[in-house]
Amino acid sequence: MSRKGVLLVALLLVLVLAGCGGAPDVDWTLGVSGAVSSPLNLSYAELAEMPQTDLSDILMEKSLGEDTTGDWTGVALDEILAEAGVAEYVSITAVAGDGYAIEISKDELQDAIVALQENGEWIADADPDHGPIRLVCPYTPANRWIFQLMELQVNAEAAGVPDDAAFKITGMVETEVGWTEEKIRSMDAIEAEFTSKDGETSTYTGVRISDLLSKADPKDGAATIVFVADDGYSAEAPLADIEACADCIVSFANQGGFRIVAPGFAGNVQVK
């Protein structure tokens, strides 16, 4: 083989080796909307070209199965928000490709990244069911680590009761608050079981009442909580007992709207 041929083969080898570590060709876009001055639609390729941040030995606390520890690489959330022109915000609603959404507070997003790699491998290749990108929040349980991340909605709304509120907390609180049904459905939800007076046990999904009350901050003198339905029906319960109840939720009704599910409380407290 001629010397020229040797050089050509060597050059091709270098090019092939250099290409092995590049980002995969993925058709995916991350949208950034809401309280931003410059809404974004970042392609996968654009995310791969942005400065990358490494998170090492990060504990993933799972609700099912054993916890795991791993390394993650991706774009710092702060970098993305800065590019979108975000000034102040109170939370982010992360939306997955299948429509699942969850609201995550600003405090919980400390050091968060939009990860493209896990343990040195591209998520799109190594774990396509959880890729190609994933929100990794190192100081929160894994239910906030949204995989197949498609959109980040920035929330900067001030506390208060919006005109179209579907649920609100008023009375002896430091801040009266209210939310649309869509907003409550985007919050962190749990499942709770309730057994009716007929002995039938059902499972409901919704947001802890204690979590919602914490946003209103009940005043020191508040002793009772009154649940009021849209038809005017109401029922009372001791505030301290509801605040201490881990399974008391504002559950999502299949046909829209809410109902109170409060296991261990009287039947009249289960306000629809």
Side-chain angles (χ1 to χ4, degrees):
M1 180 181 292
S2 68
R3 182 177 179 83
K4 181 177 180 181
V6 172
L7 291 175
L8 177 59
V9 172
L11 179 58
L12 288 174
L13 181 60
V14 170
L15 291 175
V16 171
L17 291 177
C20 288
D25 184 12
V26 177
D27 182 16
W28 194 269
T29 301
L30 173 64
V32 185
S33 59
V36 302
S37 60
S38 302
L40 300 177
N41 284 293
L42 297 169
S43 69
Y44 184 86
E46 289 173 325
L47 288 168
E49 292 172 356
M50 295 177 71
Q52 303 291 299
T53 296
D54 295 324
L55 298 178
S56 300
D57 297 325
I58 301 301
L59 177 66
M60 181 191 292
E61 297 181 80
K62 300 179 180 181
S63 56
L64 296 175
E66 294 185 4
D67 296 344
T68 58
T69 300
D71 302 333
W72 302 84
T73 299
V75 185
L77 179 63
D78 287 346
E79 180 88 11
I80 294 174
L81 297 182
E83 186 165 330
V86 176
E88 287 294 329
Y89 70 100
V90 296
S91 65
I92 295 287
T93 300
V95 184
D98 63 359
Y100 174 78
I102 186 170
E103 185 176 9
I104 309 171
S105 70
K106 182 178 181 179
D107 290 342
E108 294 174 310
L109 291 166
Q110 182 182 350
D111 296 334
I113 66 171
V114 174
L116 284 73
Q117 296 183 61
E118 179 183 2
N119 296 325
E121 297 184 88
W122 299 100
I123 304 174
D125 292 335
D127 190 8
D129 289 341
H130 293 90
I133 60 176
R134 182 168 194 164
L135 182 64
V136 174
C137 306
Y139 303 111
T140 70
N143 67 333
R144 278 138 165 86
W145 295 30
I146 303 302
F147 55 83
Q148 295 184 343
L149 181 66
M150 182 166 280
E151 186 174 2
L152 296 169
Q153 300 170 356
V154 182
N155 306 312
E157 61 190 45
V161 181
D163 293 337
D164 57 348
F167 189 91
K168 57 187 177 181
I169 302 176
T170 61
M172 291 189 64
V173 294
E174 296 296 338
T175 305
E176 294 191 341
V177 291
W179 304 271
T180 63
E181 182 167 346
E182 179 183 19
K183 176 63 70 176
I184 288 188
R185 286 181 177 269
S186 75
M187 295 179 182
D188 193 17
I190 65 166
E191 291 186 343
E193 290 188 345
F194 177 76
T195 302
S196 69
K197 61 182 180 180
D198 299 323
E200 182 179 349
T201 299
S202 301
T203 301
Y204 297 88
T205 301
V207 180
R208 282 192 176 96
I209 300 174
S210 58
D211 289 348
L212 297 174
L213 286 171
S214 68
K215 299 177 185 297
D217 191 12
K219 293 182 178 180
D220 291 341
T224 302
I225 184 168
V226 181
F227 299 109
V228 183
D230 56 5
D231 63 358
Y233 173 81
S234 64
E236 295 186 9
L239 175 62
D241 292 348
I242 292 292
E243 287 181 313
C245 178
D247 294 326
C248 290
I249 61 174
V250 176
S251 75
F252 312 136
N254 292 332
Q255 69 276 19
F258 311 101
R259 67 169 293 172
I260 298 300
V261 173
F265 289 79
N268 69 317
V269 174
Q270 323 300 320
V271 176
K272 298 180 181 179

